[in-house]
């Protein structure tokens, strides 16, 4: 949304050089279309289509952390396409443990059938990629302090 706000601001600023504001009507619309219901896709030749359950993934991620790190319920939320960790608890960990946790969660997510790829916030920002690369679209929506700790491509 940040980029949309910036681009619309630039558009509106330049528009005032061509038209008087009191004689201008602006209408914004969007049509994202509708994706077919996932359950119908196998019959259309897409056998790997399946529905992702964020609560189930969060529970499974927390189970991995509990078993391997002895840390309970560190993954606290998912807002597509980002998983959020409990920052009040993350700040109590040393950097090495924090990185090990991120690496393990990403490794786990990449084994899940509904996840195509996964990156930490810092990792995806460091990846050089052309503007037409899907990773660039994920990078464009990141905002420091507001984005999740792990970004997934489902």
């Amino acid at each position: 949304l940040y980029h949309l706000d910036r681009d619309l601001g630039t558009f509106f600023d330049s528009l005032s050089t061509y038209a008087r504001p009191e004689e201008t009507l602006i209408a914004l619309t969007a049509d994202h279309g509708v994706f077919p219901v996932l359950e119908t896709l196998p019959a259309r030749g897409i056998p790997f289509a399946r529905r992702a359950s964020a609560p189930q993934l969060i529970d499974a991620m927390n189970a991995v952390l509990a078993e391997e790190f002895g840390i309970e319920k560190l993954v606290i939320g998912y807002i597509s396409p980002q998983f959020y960790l409990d920052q009040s608890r993350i700040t109590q960990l040393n950097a090495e443990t924090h990185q090990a946790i991120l690496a393990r969660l990403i490794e786990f997510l990449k084994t899940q059938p509904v996840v195509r790829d996964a990156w930490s916030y810092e990792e995806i920002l460091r990846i050089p990629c052309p503007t037409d690369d899907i990773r660039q679209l994920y990078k464009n929506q990141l905002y420091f302090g507001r984005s999740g700790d792990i970004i997934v491509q489902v």
Side-chain angles (χ1 to χ4, degrees):
L1 287 178
Y2 167 77
H3 298 284
L4 177 62
D5 288 348
R6 182 193 63 214
D7 292 344
L8 285 175
T10 302
F11 171 73
F12 292 144
D13 290 344
S14 65
L15 184 62
S16 66
T17 62
Y18 300 103
R20 294 187 352 212
E22 62 273 8
E23 295 178 355
T24 304
L25 173 66
I26 298 171
L28 300 175
T29 64
D31 179 14
H32 302 291
V34 176
F35 193 76
V37 175
L38 284 175
E39 289 75 11
T40 67
L41 293 179
R44 296 178 182 194
I46 306 173
F48 53 84
R50 58 183 49 91
R51 198 167 295 281
S53 167
Q56 288 177 347
L57 280 173
I58 289 170
D59 288 346
M61 293 165 73
N62 279 324
V64 167
L65 294 180
E67 181 180 322
E68 298 181 21
F69 293 90
I71 299 173
E72 300 284 332
K73 300 186 190 264
L74 189 63
V75 183
I76 59 171
Y78 177 77
I79 300 174
S80 183
Q82 303 169 25
F83 285 97
Y84 290 81
L85 305 182
D86 184 340
Q87 293 304 305
S88 66
R89 296 174 59 210
I90 285 290
T91 57
Q92 297 173 1
L93 303 173
N94 64 47
E96 185 177 312
T97 302
H98 179 205
Q99 291 306 311
I101 286 170
L102 287 173
R104 181 60 185 107
L105 289 174
I106 290 167
E107 177 186 40
F108 170 78
L109 285 167
K110 288 181 177 183
T111 68
Q112 301 307 297
V114 296
V115 176
R116 180 158 186 187
D117 211 343
W119 313 271
S120 72
Y121 176 89
E122 293 82 10
E123 177 186 12
I124 197 167
L125 288 178
R126 288 191 308 265
I127 297 172
C129 49
T131 57
D132 62 346
D133 188 304
I134 187 74
R135 294 170 298 180
Q136 187 62 46
L137 297 176
Y138 286 94
K139 288 169 69 168
N140 288 346
Q141 61 185 298
L142 297 178
Y143 187 82
F144 181 75
R146 191 171 60 199
S147 295
D149 300 276
I150 298 174
I151 294 85
V152 291
Q153 179 184 0
V154 292

